[in-house]
Amino acid sequence: MAHHSTPSSQKALMMELKSLQEQPVEGFRIGLVEESDLYNWEVAIFGPPNTLYEGGYFKSHIKFPIDYPYSPPTFRFLTKMWHPNIYENGDVCISILHPPVDDPQSGELPSERWNPTQNVRTILLSVISLLNEPNTFSPANVDASVMFRKWRDSKGKDKEYAEIIRKQVVSTVAEAERDGVKVPTTLAEYCVQTRVPSQDSSSDLLYDDLYDDDMEEEEEDEDEEESDMESGGEAGGTSGGEGGLTTGCYDDDQEDSGNEDS
């Protein structure tokens, strides 16, 4: 009888979701768009205190390919964003999310691009870093890049960029209220590690299903090995050669996994 095998990407994503629930990343709320779909995640980013984004509630989606982690996911903001490294449609342009190909024209080193050792945690840290420190060398939004440079080079005297960001932050307050979310505005509130329980048991059931699949596969492999050994002996042969949403903190000394864009 044929046995249905769970895709390795699905197992990897479930383990990452569980890890992010147990050890959340500072300034994020993470969950699944639909409980039955591990390949589409919803992410809410809280604007870090003492930055232009303070008090902001920015919603986004991460979409994973079936061959994850060998290919990178995509990260798209649903909230309108004015940023040098975010396209008009919300897609984030960042090296860590670019396929691992050698492209001299891009100006990126292969080591700056995606590789299978990256994960959701490193993506989130890279995105929050990119918000505060845009890369203006090859921007996705040229106008935002020019405006940001004027604001930065004038040490804040040219206020156009900052004013646009603050207007976007204010516009997110109503959505946070609709979602019943209290946005942190102080470092003490921002850097709180919590685990929010699921509203139902569907996530636990999904974990159990995945683990059951693993156990069944291991048992079948063991049975096959025992059968092969017995038949070999008889023949005298020899063997050949998220659900739940989470918010929390991360260590400041955690490795930066690439915040270059192109």
Side-chain angles (χ1 to χ4, degrees), residues 122-141:
T122 59
I123 293 171
L124 297 180
L125 295 177
S126 296
V127 169
I128 201 70
S129 176
L130 188 72
L131 283 182
N132 295 316
E133 299 179 7
N135 186 317
T136 59
F137 291 105
S138 53
N141 183 330

Side-chain angles (χ1 to χ4, degrees), residues 41-225:
W41 293 22
E42 57 182 3
V43 178
I45 300 176
F46 298 139
N50 304 322
T51 72
L52 293 177
Y53 295 93
E54 178 180 313
Y57 177 65
F58 308 102
K59 301 176 78 170
S60 58
H61 279 175
I62 305 178
K63 187 172 184 179
F64 299 89
I66 193 67
D67 62 344
Y68 178 85
Y70 300 102
S71 293
T74 58
F75 194 107
R76 172 175 290 185
F77 277 97
L78 305 181
T79 305
K80 187 173 181 60
M81 303 292 288
W82 181 254
H83 188 279
N85 308 124
I86 300 175
Y87 288 103
E88 187 175 351
N89 67 354
D91 283 348
V92 175
C93 183
I94 188 171
S95 295
I96 193 177
L97 294 180
H98 293 166
V101 296
D102 188 4
D103 181 9
Q105 300 299 322
S106 70
E108 296 175 337
L109 297 174
S111 60
E112 296 172 338
R113 291 172 170 251
W114 177 262
N115 67 70
T117 65
Q118 307 287 7
N119 53 40
V120 177
R121 191 178 298 273
T122 59
I123 293 171
L124 297 180
L125 295 177
S126 296
V127 169
I128 201 70
S129 176
L130 188 72
L131 283 182
N132 295 316
E133 299 179 7
N135 186 317
T136 59
F137 291 105
S138 53
N141 183 330
V142 175
D143 292 337
S145 179
V146 171
M147 198 178 294
F148 168 78
R149 289 200 303 270
K150 288 181 179 179
W151 172 78
R152 181 192 60 194
D153 296 344
S154 70
K155 300 187 185 303
K157 292 180 180 179
D158 188 310
K159 301 182 182 298
E160 188 176 14
Y161 182 79
E163 289 174 351
I164 290 178
I165 301 302
R166 293 311 301 169
K167 286 180 181 178
Q168 291 184 334
V169 167
V170 171
S171 70
T172 68
V173 173
E175 185 148 21
E177 292 176 351
R178 284 196 298 269
D179 290 349
V181 173
K182 184 181 183 303
V183 178
T185 56
T186 67
L187 286 174
E189 293 173 338
Y190 190 83
C191 194
V192 173
Q193 192 168 49
T194 60
R195 178 178 178 181
V196 182
S198 303
Q199 297 299 317
D200 53 44
S201 60
S202 57
S203 295
D204 292 335
L205 291 174
L206 187 52
Y207 282 125
D208 293 341
D209 289 343
L210 288 173
Y211 293 145
D212 288 344
D213 286 344
D214 290 340
M215 291 292 290
E216 290 174 7
E217 290 174 1
E218 290 176 1
E219 289 174 359
E220 286 185 0
D221 290 342
E222 290 176 359
D223 290 343
E224 290 176 1
E225 289 177 2

Side-chain angles (χ1 to χ4, degrees), residues 16 20-21 34 45 65 85 105 187 197 200 241 255 257 261:
E16 287 201 47
L20 287 165
Q21 289 173 338
E34 296 181 3
I45 300 176
N85 308 124
Q105 300 299 322
L187 286 174
D200 53 44
E255 181 179 358
S257 300
D261 79 299

